[in-house]
Amino acid sequence: MIKLSPSILSANFVRLEEELKILEKEGIQYVHIDVMDGMFVPNISIGMPVIKSIRKATNMVLDAHFMIVEPERYIDEFISLGCDIINFHFEATKKHMDIINKIKNANKKVGMTIKPNTSYEEILPFIKYLDLVLVMGVEPGFGGQSFIESSLEKISALRKYIDENNLHCELEIDGGIKIDNVEKVLKAGANVIVVGSDIFEKDDKSAIIKKYNEIFKKF
Ligand code: DX5
Ligand code: ZN
């Protein structure tokens, strides 16, 4: 099943609850939350208190994307905040299996994320333990960038590996997705689609979500 995971990085934070209600009304299952530390990426976004407030405001699945160095320092806190999916970057840590085990033992879903310059082969040994692989379509750090086309080959290769090995790992793409290039990532085999600016910068967010859902029906 194809899922849309709107990234609230481009939302109006003063009206966040209102914007979350629009997503709920449109039947959105995942909400993508970008946490940046100003070290792993050259930007600082939102942190723990905001996630706590979002958790109280909605029952949608919280798909958290942590762009922070040594995420192992905060795994307990991410779990207790009520994140449902915890994505950490392959490049940000040496303690991959410790992190995976901790998240799984807490009955949360674990995702591993790769930046555009990281080869998909690096994460193959971990895929059998993961619930999700998150492929970046842009250099992490900012919304509104252009999609890096070479990410398509990575998605195709990962889709092939997941299917051939009969794994149940979701394949998510994040960054640079717009209504006019989403078919390409769907064809390549992604099944969770993060969209930030193309939804939140529109006046009519419901209308654009409906357009994505129309395209998803073809896959
Ligand atoms: C970038 C973030 C993305 C971002 C996507 O580091 O991980 O989730 O919000 O934004 P768009 O869809 O505008 O590229
Ligand atoms: Zn993200």
Side-chain angles (χ1 to χ4, degrees):
M1 185 196 174
I2 314 284
K3 293 167 187 150
L4 190 60
S5 188
S7 163
I8 59 160
L9 188 61
S10 297
N12 179 342
F13 285 100
V14 175
R15 297 193 184 153
L16 192 52
E17 186 163 23
E18 226 173 274
E19 307 220 322
L20 290 171
K21 293 292 166 221
I22 296 173
L23 304 184
E24 277 176 9
K25 198 176 125 260
E26 293 307 323
I28 291 291
Q29 303 101 330
Y30 287 7
V31 181
H32 189 83
I33 305 177
D34 291 300
V35 179
M36 304 178 185
D37 67 353
M39 292 288 286
F40 184 72
V41 291
N43 193 9
I44 298 175
S45 56
I46 57 165
M48 318 313 189
V50 178
I51 300 181
K52 205 171 160 190
S53 301
I54 295 172
R55 181 69 296 167
K56 282 188 198 150
T58 182
N59 289 324
M60 288 182 285
V61 171
L62 302 187
D63 169 29
H65 174 196
F66 290 96
M67 286 159 271
I68 64 173
V69 289
E70 296 176 357
E72 59 271 20
R73 295 173 296 150
Y74 296 105
I75 296 299
D76 289 328
E77 202 164 349
F78 300 158
I79 291 167
S80 66
L81 284 168
C83 299
D84 301 291
I85 304 171
I86 298 175
N87 291 292
F88 68 99
H89 269 266
F90 168 78
E91 305 87 355
T93 181
K94 291 191 172 68
K95 306 212 165 139
H96 305 97
M97 280 316 298
D98 289 352
I99 294 175
I100 290 169
N101 288 330
K102 204 163 204 184
I103 296 171
K104 290 197 85 84
N105 287 341
N107 285 322
K108 301 288 184 182
K109 290 191 171 171
V110 58
M112 194 181 273
T113 310
I114 48 173
K115 298 209 278 184
N117 291 331
T118 302
S119 156
Y120 76 92
E121 281 144 321
E122 301 253 32
I123 63 165
L124 295 183
F126 300 106
I127 295 195
K128 58 176 177 291
Y129 308 111
L130 299 173
D131 298 295
L132 188 146
V133 169
L134 173 53
V135 174
M136 292 307 299
V138 298
E139 278 302 329
F142 300 92
Q145 304 181 71
S146 300
F147 184 71
I148 298 170
E149 294 291 324
S150 57
S151 311
L152 288 173
E153 291 150 36
K154 250 189 233 183
I155 298 169
S156 304
L158 285 163
R159 169 53 61 207
K160 190 162 175 268
Y161 182 87
I162 290 167
D163 290 351
E164 279 178 3
N165 291 281
N166 214 6
L167 301 169
H168 299 287
C169 178
E170 296 204 280
L171 186 51
E172 180 168 20
I173 177 75
D174 179 13
I177 304 301
K178 311 270 177 215
I179 199 76
D180 52 13
N181 68 3
V182 68
E183 287 205 34
K184 282 201 278 195
V185 294
L186 292 166
K187 274 186 196 137
N191 81 295
V192 181
I193 313 296
V194 177
V195 181
S197 50
D198 200 37
I199 292 177
F200 287 101
E201 287 176 6
K202 295 278 193 308
D203 289 334
D204 191 344
K205 293 160 191 70
S206 293
I208 184 77
I209 290 170
K210 287 190 170 79
K211 280 190 193 166
Y212 275 98
N213 284 332
E214 274 308 305
I215 295 176
F216 292 178
K217 279 186 200 156
K218 295 194 240 165
F219 288 85

